[in-house]
Coordinates of all heavy atoms in Angstrom, one line a residue:
R39 N 1.2 -17.3 4.6 CA 0.4 -16.9 3.5 C -0.1 -15.5 3.7 O -0.2 -15.0 4.8 CB -0.7 -17.9 3.3 CG -2.0 -17.8 4.1 CD -1.8 -17.7 5.6 NE -3.1 -17.9 6.3 CZ -3.9 -16.9 6.7 NH1 -3.5 -15.6 6.4 NH2 -5.0 -17.1 7.4
I40 N -0.4 -14.9 2.5 CA -1.2 -13.6 2.5 C -2.5 -14.0 1.9 O -2.5 -14.7 0.8 CB -0.5 -12.5 1.8 CG1 -1.3 -11.2 2.0 CG2 -0.1 -12.7 0.4 CD1 -1.3 -10.6 3.3
A41 N -3.6 -13.6 2.5 CA -4.9 -14.1 2.0 C -5.9 -13.0 1.7 O -6.9 -12.8 2.4 CB -5.5 -15.1 3.1
P42 N -5.6 -12.1 0.8 CA -6.4 -11.0 0.5 C -7.8 -11.3 -0.1 O -7.9 -12.3 -0.8 CB -5.6 -10.1 -0.5 CG -4.7 -11.1 -1.1 CD -4.4 -12.2 -0.2
S43 N -8.8 -10.5 0.3 CA -10.1 -10.7 -0.4 C -10.1 -9.7 -1.5 O -9.9 -8.5 -1.3 CB -11.2 -10.4 0.6 OG -11.1 -11.2 1.7
P44 N -10.4 -10.1 -2.7 CA -10.4 -9.2 -3.9 C -11.7 -8.4 -4.0 O -12.4 -8.4 -5.0 CB -10.2 -10.1 -5.1 CG -10.9 -11.4 -4.7 CD -10.8 -11.5 -3.2
T52 N -3.1 -4.6 4.0 CA -2.8 -5.9 3.5 C -1.4 -6.0 3.0 O -0.7 -7.0 3.2 CB -3.8 -6.2 2.3 OG1 -5.1 -5.9 2.8 CG2 -3.7 -7.6 1.9
T55 N 0.9 -6.4 5.9 CA 0.9 -7.8 6.4 C 1.6 -8.7 5.4 O 2.3 -9.6 5.9 CB -0.6 -8.3 6.5 OG1 -1.3 -7.3 7.3 CG2 -0.8 -9.6 7.1
R73 N -3.0 -16.6 -1.4 CA -4.4 -17.2 -1.5 C -5.4 -16.1 -1.6 O -5.5 -15.2 -0.8 CB -4.6 -18.0 -0.2 CG -5.9 -18.7 -0.3 CD -6.1 -19.7 0.9 NE -6.4 -19.0 2.1 CZ -5.9 -19.4 3.3 NH1 -5.0 -20.3 3.4 NH2 -6.3 -18.7 4.4
E75 N -9.0 -14.9 -1.3 CA -10.2 -15.3 -0.6 C -11.4 -14.6 -1.3 O -11.9 -13.6 -0.8 CB -10.1 -14.9 0.9 CG -8.8 -15.6 1.4 CD -8.8 -15.9 2.9 OE1 -9.3 -15.0 3.7 OE2 -8.3 -17.0 3.3
Q108 N -10.2 -19.4 -3.5 CA -11.1 -20.2 -2.7 C -12.3 -20.7 -3.5 O -12.8 -21.7 -3.2 CB -11.5 -19.3 -1.5 CG -10.4 -19.2 -0.4 CD -10.9 -18.7 0.9 OE1 -11.8 -17.8 0.9 NE2 -10.3 -19.1 2.0
Y227 N -16.5 -17.7 5.5 CA -15.1 -17.2 5.7 C -14.3 -18.1 6.8 O -13.3 -18.6 6.4 CB -15.1 -15.7 6.1 CG -13.8 -15.3 6.7 CD1 -12.7 -15.2 5.8 CD2 -13.7 -15.1 8.0 CE1 -11.5 -14.8 6.4 CE2 -12.5 -14.7 8.6 CZ -11.4 -14.6 7.7 OH -10.2 -14.2 8.3
V231 N -11.1 -20.4 5.7 CA -9.7 -20.1 6.1 C -9.1 -21.2 6.8 O -7.9 -21.6 6.5 CB -9.7 -18.8 7.0 CG1 -8.4 -18.6 7.7 CG2 -10.1 -17.6 6.2
D235 N -5.9 -23.3 5.6 CA -4.7 -23.3 6.4 C -4.2 -24.7 6.8 O -3.0 -25.0 6.8 CB -4.8 -22.3 7.6 CG -4.8 -20.9 7.2 OD1 -4.4 -20.6 6.0 OD2 -5.2 -20.0 8.0
V243 N 0.1 -18.1 11.1 CA -0.9 -17.2 10.5 C -0.5 -15.8 11.0 O -0.7 -15.4 12.2 CB -2.3 -17.6 11.0 CG1 -3.3 -16.6 10.5 CG2 -2.6 -19.0 10.4
I244 N 0.0 -15.0 10.1 CA 0.4 -13.6 10.5 C -0.6 -12.7 9.8 O -0.7 -12.7 8.6 CB 1.9 -13.3 10.0 CG1 2.8 -14.3 10.5 CG2 2.3 -11.9 10.4 CD1 4.2 -14.3 9.9
R245 N -1.4 -12.0 10.6 CA -2.4 -11.2 10.0 C -2.8 -10.0 10.9 O -2.4 -10.0 12.1 CB -3.7 -12.0 9.6 CG -4.3 -12.7 10.8 CD -5.5 -13.5 10.4 NE -6.0 -14.3 11.5 CZ -6.8 -15.4 11.3 NH1 -7.1 -15.8 10.1 NH2 -7.2 -16.0 12.4
G246 N -3.6 -9.1 10.4 CA -4.0 -7.9 11.2 C -4.7 -8.2 12.5 O -5.4 -9.2 12.6
D248 N -7.3 -7.0 13.6 CA -8.7 -7.0 13.5 C -9.3 -8.4 13.3 O -10.5 -8.6 13.3 CB -9.2 -6.1 12.3 CG -8.3 -6.3 11.1 OD1 -7.1 -6.7 11.2 OD2 -8.8 -6.0 9.9
H249 N -8.4 -9.4 13.2 CA -8.9 -10.8 13.1 C -8.8 -11.6 14.4 O -9.1 -12.8 14.4 CB -8.0 -11.5 12.0 CG -8.4 -11.2 10.6 ND1 -9.6 -11.6 10.0 CD2 -7.7 -10.4 9.7 CE1 -9.6 -11.1 8.8 NE2 -8.6 -10.4 8.6
N252 N -11.8 -13.6 15.2 CA -11.9 -14.7 14.3 C -10.9 -15.9 14.7 O -11.2 -17.0 14.6 CB -11.5 -14.3 12.8 CG -12.6 -13.5 12.2 OD1 -13.8 -13.7 12.4 ND2 -12.2 -12.6 11.3
Q256 N -11.6 -19.7 15.0 CA -10.9 -20.6 14.2 C -10.2 -21.7 14.9 O -10.1 -22.9 14.5 CB -10.0 -19.8 13.3 CG -10.8 -19.0 12.2 CD -9.9 -18.2 11.3 OE1 -8.7 -18.3 11.3 NE2 -10.5 -17.2 10.7
Ligands
LIG39 N1 -9.2 -12.5 3.7 C1 -8.9 -11.8 4.9 C2 -8.8 -10.3 4.7 O1 -8.6 -9.9 3.6 C3 -7.6 -12.3 5.6 C4 -7.8 -13.5 6.3 C5 -6.6 -14.1 7.0 O2 -5.5 -13.6 6.8 O3 -6.8 -15.1 7.6 O4 -8.8 -9.6 5.7

Side-chain angles (χ1 to χ4, degrees):
R39 81 307 191 271
I40 184 72
S43 304
T52 310
T55 304
R73 182 171 79 220
E75 303 205 322
Q108 287 194 324
Y227 165 74
V231 168
D235 285 343
V243 173
I244 305 169
R245 61 183 172 197
D248 44 337
H249 283 290
N252 286 329
Q256 291 177 14

